[in-house]
Amino acid sequence: MYDPTRLAALVAVAEAGSITRAAARLGYTAPALSQQLAKLEREAGAALLVRHHRGARLTAAGELLAGRARRVLDELDQARHELAQLAGLSGGRLRVGTFTTAGIHLLPPVLSAFRRAHPEVELTVAEYEPPGGVAAVVAGEVDLALTHAYEPATAGPLPVGVLVEPLLVEELVLVTSAGHRLAEGTGRLPVSELAGRPLISSAPTHPPRHGVESALAEAGATPAVVCESPGYALVCALVSAGLGVAVVPEMVASMAAAPLSVRRLEPASFRRTISVAHRGDRSSAAAGTLLALLRSGFGRGGTAAPANRPSAG
């Protein structure tokens, strides 16, 4: 039984005409490659190379073995390709669902790493505002989806056949226009301080925000503008314009294009958990690979980086 690595070394010398050039092509040093070839000659029981001042040439035995080696190596390459296809990582498709914030700030580097490792997999990305992504996984529209849930909230039952795995937990923070009085100080601001303050009410009809909106209303925050869009870019723009304050995820606050001031709240139980919905053991190989990248990239149940700037511009 011949070692495929040594067979590849013999073929490289046959094509390069020199041990030095073959070693450079394979990433070996010339002495290391010579050792591999010497072992192959012992396995074959015959001299395979004749070395001369201009390089090396194959003996008749070397030519015979190199010809066979090319076919063996081609078959091994074909087998690797076919196994990758069976695993869904070569020529397959991966369909990913995401919501806006994650799609802009979290998903691209993970998909980039996946594409570098598996360039033949066709990637498609669709946007679903939670909880639509979970429903899309259940319906088979996507292989996995990034979704989120807010606290305080009343958690509903999960659909059968889908797992929702936490990836990242971030606090909800107060954002105000630059220089706003509520932004003064470095400690946490009691939610009760929002009583009577004009609030940009963020998508009150959006299911994930129901619990947060209710808690803010109980604290006495008064809706000044009702922003029906769940997109936070508009909310932050309205806050920056001085139309009110808002409570948003810290990732949104740190990434906002509009100039804002940021303040943490007390209690710290106002949170958003970003999760990935998938089919568990029934997930494709491609989906399982991306899931592993998401886990390693964000850390299961980890905490987002703190919003540590008083203002952003």
Side-chain angles (χ1 to χ4, degrees):
M1 183 70 69
Y2 295 114
D3 187 320
T5 302
R6 294 168 192 159
L7 293 177
L10 180 65
V11 171
V13 173
E15 294 174 350
S18 160
I19 291 177
T20 300
R21 288 193 293 271
R25 179 186 299 182
L26 296 174
Y28 286 103
T29 63
L33 187 62
S34 293
Q35 289 179 7
Q36 292 296 320
L37 292 168
K39 291 178 181 177
L40 183 60
E41 287 182 318
R42 289 196 292 272
E43 290 174 348
L48 303 176
L49 295 170
V50 175
R51 295 163 177 81
H52 51 82
H53 68 280
R54 289 180 299 178
R57 64 175 177 81
L58 270 61
T59 64
E63 292 284 359
L64 187 152
L65 185 56
R68 299 282 186 179
R70 286 187 180 93
R71 290 194 286 273
V72 169
L73 295 171
D74 286 344
E75 286 294 326
L76 288 174
D77 284 341
Q78 182 63 27
R80 280 191 288 268
H81 178 73
E82 291 175 0
L83 286 170
Q85 286 184 317
L86 285 176
L89 292 175
S90 177
R93 183 173 63 158
L94 178 62
R95 301 163 301 167
V96 183
T98 185
F99 59 97
T100 302
T101 309
I104 294 173
H105 301 299
L106 298 181
L107 191 58
V110 179
L111 289 182
S112 179
F114 181 91
R115 170 54 58 82
R116 287 195 300 272
H118 308 291
E120 295 182 17
V121 176
E122 176 188 344
L123 287 173
T124 60
V125 180
E127 190 171 352
Y128 295 91
E129 190 58 37
V134 176
V137 173
V138 174
E141 297 173 5
V142 294
D143 299 298
L144 51 78
L146 291 173
T147 187
H148 64 222
Y150 286 83
E151 295 178 38
T154 301
L158 286 176
V160 176
V162 66
L163 299 176
V164 176
E165 182 177 327
L167 295 172
L168 187 71
V169 180
E170 56 179 338
E171 288 188 28
L172 303 186
V173 296
L174 179 73
V175 289
T176 70
S177 57
H180 193 284
R181 192 180 71 81
L182 288 181
E184 296 174 358
T186 57
R188 291 181 177 272
L189 181 75
V191 176
S192 59
E193 290 293 317
L194 300 181
R197 303 288 180 178
L199 179 75
I200 309 296
S201 188
S202 180
T205 59
H206 182 44
R209 287 280 305 198
H210 280 170
V212 174
E213 295 292 321
S214 297
L216 293 173
E218 290 175 6
T222 306
V225 178
V226 174
C227 185
E228 294 290 353
S229 169
Y232 281 115
L234 178 55
V235 172
C236 291
L238 296 175
V239 170
S240 181
L243 295 174
V245 301
V247 174
V248 303
E250 55 189 320
M251 185 188 306
V252 171
S254 65
M255 301 291 185
L260 298 171
S261 290
V262 181
R263 185 90 179 266
R264 290 192 179 277
L265 294 171
E266 181 66 41
S269 55
F270 285 79
R271 303 190 300 177
R272 180 173 75 167
T273 300
I274 296 175
S275 303
V276 57
H278 58 91
R279 300 190 188 94
D281 293 340
R282 296 182 297 113
S283 297
S284 67
T289 299
L290 185 64
L291 181 59
L293 288 172
L294 287 167
R295 288 168 176 158
S296 63
F298 305 120
R300 194 174 305 177
T303 303
N308 55 10
R309 61 187 178 107
S311 62

